[in-house]
Amino acid sequence: MGLINITKNIFTQEIAIDLGTANTLIMHRNKIIVDLPSIIAIDVRTNNVLAVGEEAKEMQGKTHKNIKIFKPLKDGVIADYQVAELMIKEFINKIPGINKKIFTPSLIMVICIPSGITEVEKRAVKDSAQHLNAKEVYLIEEPMAAAIGSGLSVTKAEGNMIIDIGGGTTECGVIALGGIVCKKSIKIAGDVFTNDIAYFLKNKYNLYIGERTAEKIKIDIGAAIEDIDDTPDDIHIQGIDLPTGKPKEMNLSYQEIIPALDKSIVRIEDAVMETLSNTPPELAADIYKTGIYMAGGGSLLRGLDIRLSKKTGLSVSLVEDPLRAVVKGTGVALKNIDKFTFLMK
Ligand code: ADP
Ligand code: MG
């Protein structure tokens, strides 16, 4: 490493952030060093941060009046800037070498944002980054980061379609020549699937369950279609019987969950169809050849790829590392700040 590089490393640090509604990931020196739920627990009396990430997630549904759990990026928008900034600060402080007491290096950051956010929200994200000692901030839109992180060529005269199903939003984008040609972002994604399951159990069985249990059911047995290869075993669940308030337990099969998720999946199908119909014909021809790529935690729902493939008549494949594709792509962008003209300053 040359002297110039060493000085650069002391005075500035480069980080890539995927600010997801469900999970925040940070890449530093080619490594993912933060991969945690976008959740923060605050003591309302003192405003002190009690926990972030996994620890804060575990507190969910178990707090008393003095502890408040925030998901500052709920539903695909930044619901609370101050809290979001506080959370990002905690995450950045987890990076070794950045939280130096004597000397805090300034940061060069590339931050991935949902493609549906407004100019005002973009401004706010940049302001927050500047409060955190960022000297240069670049923004990258989610479909672009997901495509790059999935190893797709984004700068060629070839169309690629990527669907990123996260916690709060589903983002469909068609990418070619280093830009997003058409896109659609809807606020139906993994967290809505979770709510669908809780709602279904309440309606059908008068069973009241918490969000964490609902998410576990979704991950353990959730499916988009009946006809899947690895059918999961029934699971045993516990909740509260609504009329009596007593604890209640029951077994649940994967088949039962499918209709509960149907309405939300239809909304995702519609968004994909709309994006396809807005795709210029030359690019559509490319997509017919390569198929559609899918990323994000929500894309892991069993059989969702097959269902979307049936709906579109195209092949649909999950990218290699669906939960990390976006941060990886943001990390690649960080290394190519000069070359990637689509980064927003
Ligand atoms: P975001 O980018 O919005 O932070 P992620 O891409 O990290 O979202 O995905 C988070 C969502 O994926 C959550 O709703 C989570 O419940 C869901 N998820 C994670 N793993 C699975 C799985 N195996 N099956 C279904 N959903 C999953
Ligand atoms: Mg994401």
Side-chain angles (χ1 to χ4, degrees), residues 62-101:
K62 297 179 179 173
T63 53
H64 51 75
K65 69 177 188 342
N66 293 334
I67 301 178
K68 204 160 174 212
I69 307 280
F70 291 90
K71 285 187 178 176
L73 291 125
K74 214 168 166 58
D75 301 328
V77 291
I78 303 174
D80 190 324
Y81 291 105
Q82 272 175 338
V83 177
E85 196 176 307
L86 208 58
M87 184 185 77
I88 300 166
K89 189 176 169 186
E90 293 289 329
F91 286 148
I92 288 178
N93 281 342
K94 288 185 187 290
I95 304 173
I98 284 203
N99 186 21
K100 294 239 175 70
K101 286 209 174 62

Side-chain angles (χ1 to χ4, degrees), residues 237-258:
I237 58 165
Q238 287 163 325
I240 293 168
D241 182 46
L242 272 178
T244 64
K246 286 183 192 159
K248 174 170 157 175
E249 40 192 359
M250 59 179 284
N251 284 334
L252 202 59
S253 72
Y254 85 96
Q255 287 100 330
E256 262 197 289
I257 299 297
I258 297 168

